[in-house]
Amino acid sequence: MTGILGFVGLGLGKGDITLKGLDFLRKCSIIYFDTYTSLSSEINQAYLEELTGKTVKPVNREFLETEKRKEIYQRCLKGENVAIACIGNPFFATTHVALRIEAEKLGIKTEVFNSFSILDGILSATGLEPYKLGKIVTIVYPEPEYGYFPTTPYKVLRENLARGLHTIFLLDLKLEKKLAMTIPEAIELLTSMEKQFNEGVITEATIGIGLARVGTSTQVVKAGKLRKLEKMDFGEPPHTLIIPGTLDPIEREALKILGNIEDEAITEWLQRLKEKPKNT
Amino acid sequence: MTGILGFVGLGLGKGDITLKGLDFLRKCSIIYFDTYTSLSSEINQAYLEELTGKTVKPVNREFLETEKRKEIYQRCLKGENVAIACIGNPFFATTHVALRIEAEKLGIKTEVFNSFSILDGILSATGLEPYKLGKIVTIVYPEPEYGYFPTTPYKVLRENLARGLHTIFLLDLKLEKKLAMTIPEAIELLTSMEKQFNEGVITEATIGIGLARVGTSTQVVKAGKLRKLEKMDFGEPPHTLIIPGTLDPIEREALKILGNIEDEAITEWLQRLKEKPKNT
């Protein structure tokens, strides 16, 4: 009989693991800790070892996406229970879906121990309505030396705003290069996309919500005009940026109380959203 | 000094509470258990009492949205720690955002103990990409006696499909009337919207993913043409329906393995999506 390959979400910070997830980790011979698809200021190898009393092996992209990963399946096929533990929700990353499919095809039993993703953290931190979320998009680091400057975030924002929806920008992580994009960097990139397309999506009136270390004890939530957020220091990564669409009265109230934004900035932005953008 | 009002997510099933959330519940004088915004086949008052050893008071809409709710604030103002516990993510429901704002305005310290919502459960159950999620929408029970037949779900589906995005349909709960919409009922309602608008959004080729009791030990995931899903029995509520947009190779593979759909049905649907719908 094969062992179980469990995908265990760790949530966003210390103590966010579920009872069910912890119980499974304690039954494993080894825990593979994914250190590349996500980042938390509170969760690391030492924390996981202390929590579980088990051997924790940090694994990066090179391990999970090359032949090296087969070590995981071999253990399961020998009858061991093994966990792949990751920050946030285990299936937020395509890599984990691919690993699960591959394991299932090898006849290995897989189980999922859910935890919450940055999406839930954002809803809790901001009071924004889940029904108002538009397509999510990642702002990635351009690589000018290769002529690489992806502008999908601008297009997604424009489409979401046309439907009155909020846009969550996840910010690029290149953890192997010790890089994690900050909110000011993200705003600068969006501003340069506006210069390129000139469709009036990012203007003086555009407001945003800057979030740092969502779901941890040092979480920061600051809402305001982008040009104001651009000058702020949000501290350590990870950072997230949201540009809201239309706001219901409760969302508006929540942004004022939780994000400390002036009412006039909201009024100006909602007014701007009613005007037809250029070229559309 | 006031006590803390904690909003505690319970996840979707037994053992889904986080260590942090459980720790807080055990420090409370009383736990108000929201029984109306969501539903789980595994979480009830007895389970919460056993888990925490505390007094658990089930509260419905009538309590949380009328003057009766002030009992919660009065306890906090007297210095007690109090929890509002709910299935899923605590801020998936507007009611909880409103309660939090009100408490903050009264000078009560609020804290959030995140847990995961149906969104994370869906990602884990299906392997669908978070970046491909479109606007979420609820299919509500029509009330023909009042001429009430909301067709927003059809419009949202059409818009999401035009962008290649997946549509999550949350299905109406009227728990006080012991009603919870099933997947066959939801498909019937969508089909009757198609008859009304006749835009070719719901056709013989349309596929769906039917999910029952997501995140619990009796979770069911079945993918296939809507007309096939419409004849299936998914068992006890809650049910959820998804109509996928374009599918990446990994999403397609995941749907076959996790949802047991025939490859031909996927091919036909993806072909259909490339054709321009009528009237748009």
Side-chain angles (χ1 to χ4, degrees):
Chain A
M1 217 177 82
T2 77
I4 294 167
L5 175 57
F7 292 86
V8 182
L10 302 170
L12 302 178
K14 276 191 183 173
D16 280 344
I17 191 167
T18 67
L19 304 184
K20 217 150 78 177
L22 181 56
D23 189 51
F24 180 76
L25 289 183
R26 288 184 173 151
K27 289 178 189 156
C28 287
S29 61
I30 186 168
I31 298 166
Y32 293 91
F33 173 45
D34 168 5
T35 59
Y36 98 92
T37 62
S38 196
L39 174 70
S40 162
S41 55
E42 291 184 350
I43 300 174
N44 55 32
Q45 180 183 1
Y47 166 72
L48 269 184
E49 281 169 349
E50 194 188 343
L51 186 72
T52 62
K54 295 288 177 179
T55 303
V56 174
K57 178 170 174 169
V59 286
N60 57 16
R61 180 171 199 160
E62 208 250 321
F63 181 91
L64 289 172
E65 298 187 355
T66 65
E67 289 296 301
K68 293 189 182 174
R69 73 185 182 281
K70 302 206 163 156
E71 169 186 322
I72 301 172
Y73 309 138
Q74 279 151 15
R75 286 180 182 272
C76 294
L77 292 170
K78 275 191 278 177
E80 294 179 30
N81 292 332
V82 171
I84 295 177
C86 43
I87 290 156
N89 171 301
F91 290 97
F92 214 79
T94 311
T95 302
H96 303 142
V97 184
L99 292 168
R100 184 176 178 196
I101 293 170
E102 195 169 51
E104 288 277 345
K105 285 187 171 171
L106 291 169
I108 295 165
K109 186 167 184 247
T110 65
E111 284 193 21
V112 181
F113 300 89
N114 279 304
S115 184
F116 53 93
S117 64
I118 184 85
L119 292 188
D120 293 292
I122 287 170
L123 296 176
S124 296
T126 61
L128 293 176
E129 286 264 355
Y131 296 92
K132 303 270 300 290
L133 298 181
K135 181 173 161 62
I136 301 163
V137 66
T138 298
I139 302 183
V140 300
Y141 284 111
E143 299 182 39
E145 60 276 33
Y146 304 107
Y148 180 69
F149 185 64
T151 53
T152 308
Y154 188 84
K155 292 168 197 162
V156 169
L157 173 63
R158 190 185 54 202
E159 287 174 7
N160 284 341
L161 289 180
R163 295 172 74 189
L165 302 176
H166 310 316
T167 305
I168 296 175
F169 297 100
L170 302 177
L171 307 189
D172 204 1
L173 298 175
K174 290 205 188 306
L175 298 178
E176 290 169 344
K177 292 185 187 168
K178 310 246 179 232
L179 280 173
M181 191 182 288
T182 65
I183 290 163
E185 285 173 335
I187 295 174
E188 200 189 325
L189 286 168
L190 287 172
T191 306
S192 73
M193 293 178 210
E194 175 61 43
K195 281 187 189 136
Q196 187 180 334
F197 292 98
N198 193 31
E199 295 184 6
V201 175
I202 303 287
T203 67
E204 287 291 298
T206 308
I207 64 170
I209 309 162
L211 296 145
R213 299 172 301 287
V214 172
T216 71
S217 58
T218 65
Q219 169 179 292
V220 169
V221 184
K222 289 176 186 168
K225 292 191 176 185
L226 291 189
R227 57 174 177 177
K228 185 173 157 189
L229 297 183
E230 198 173 8
K231 290 176 200 132
M232 288 181 172
D233 180 3
F234 286 84
E236 292 294 297
H239 291 186
T240 313
L241 176 67
I242 299 167
I243 295 185
T246 55
L247 293 164
D248 296 340
I250 290 191
E251 289 180 300
R252 185 173 180 150
E253 199 65 18
L255 272 199
K256 286 196 281 180
I257 289 190
L258 304 174
N260 206 23
I261 186 171
E262 304 83 5
D263 201 49
E264 304 78 59
I266 299 182
T267 304
E268 194 182 333
W269 174 234
L270 296 183
Q271 186 54 44
R272 176 71 189 73
L273 282 181
K274 282 186 203 154
E275 298 159 13
K276 202 173 153 61
K278 289 189 236 173
N279 309 333
T280 54
Chain B
M1 218 175 83
T2 77
I4 294 167
L5 175 57
F7 292 85
V8 182
L10 302 170
L12 302 177
K14 276 191 184 176
D16 279 345
I17 191 168
T18 67
L19 304 185
K20 218 150 77 176
L22 180 56
D23 189 52
F24 180 76
L25 289 183
R26 289 185 173 152
K27 289 178 189 156
C28 287
S29 60
I30 186 169
I31 299 166
Y32 293 91
F33 174 43
D34 168 5
T35 59
Y36 98 94
T37 62
S38 196
L39 174 70
S40 162
S41 56
E42 292 185 348
I43 299 173
N44 55 31
Q45 180 184 1
Y47 167 71
L48 269 183
E49 281 169 348
E50 193 189 344
L51 186 72
T52 62
K54 295 288 177 178
T55 304
V56 174
K57 178 169 177 169
V59 287
N60 58 16
R61 181 170 196 160
E62 207 250 319
F63 182 91
L64 289 172
E65 298 187 354
T66 66
E67 289 297 301
K68 294 189 181 174
R69 73 184 182 282
K70 302 209 164 154
E71 169 186 322
I72 301 172
Y73 309 138
Q74 278 151 14
R75 285 179 181 271
C76 294
L77 292 170
K78 274 192 276 176
E80 293 178 33
N81 292 332
V82 171
I84 296 178
C86 44
I87 289 155
N89 170 301
F91 290 97
F92 215 78
T94 311
T95 302
H96 302 143
V97 184
L99 292 168
R100 184 176 179 196
I101 293 171
E102 195 169 51
E104 287 276 346
K105 285 186 171 171
L106 291 169
I108 295 164
K109 187 167 184 244
T110 66
E111 283 193 21
V112 181
F113 299 89
N114 278 302
S115 185
F116 53 95
S117 65
I118 184 83
L119 291 188
D120 292 292
I122 287 171
L123 296 176
S124 295
T126 61
L128 292 176
E129 287 263 356
Y131 296 93
K132 303 269 300 290
L133 298 181
K135 181 173 159 64
I136 301 163
V137 66
T138 298
I139 302 182
V140 300
Y141 284 111
E143 299 181 41
E145 60 275 34
Y146 304 109
Y148 180 69
F149 185 65
T151 53
T152 309
Y154 188 84
K155 293 168 196 161
V156 169
L157 174 63
R158 189 185 55 201
E159 287 174 5
N160 284 341
L161 288 180
R163 296 172 74 188
L165 302 176
H166 309 317
T167 305
I168 296 175
F169 297 101
L170 301 178
L171 306 189
D172 204 2
L173 298 174
K174 292 207 188 304
L175 298 178
E176 290 168 345
K177 291 184 186 169
K178 308 248 180 232
L179 278 174
M181 191 181 288
T182 65
I183 291 162
E185 285 172 335
I187 295 174
E188 200 189 323
L189 287 168
L190 287 172
T191 307
S192 74
M193 293 177 210
E194 175 61 43
K195 281 185 189 135
Q196 187 180 334
F197 292 98
N198 194 30
E199 295 184 6
V201 175
I202 303 287
T203 67
E204 286 291 297
T206 308
I207 64 171
I209 310 161
L211 296 145
R213 300 172 301 288
V214 172
T216 71
S217 58
T218 65
Q219 171 179 292
V220 170
V221 184
K222 288 175 187 169
K225 291 191 176 183
L226 291 188
R227 57 174 178 176
K228 185 172 158 188
L229 297 183
E230 197 172 9
K231 289 176 201 132
M232 289 180 171
D233 179 4
F234 287 84
E236 293 293 296
H239 290 184
T240 312
L241 177 68
I242 299 167
I243 295 187
T246 56
L247 292 164
D248 297 338
I250 291 192
E251 289 180 301
R252 184 172 180 150
E253 199 64 18
L255 273 198
K256 287 197 280 180
I257 290 193
L258 304 174
N260 207 21
I261 185 171
E262 305 84 5
D263 202 48
E264 305 78 60
I266 298 182
T267 305
E268 195 183 332
W269 174 234
L270 296 182
Q271 185 55 44
R272 176 70 189 74
L273 281 181
K274 283 185 201 154
E275 297 159 14
K276 203 174 151 62
K278 290 190 239 173
N279 308 336
T280 55

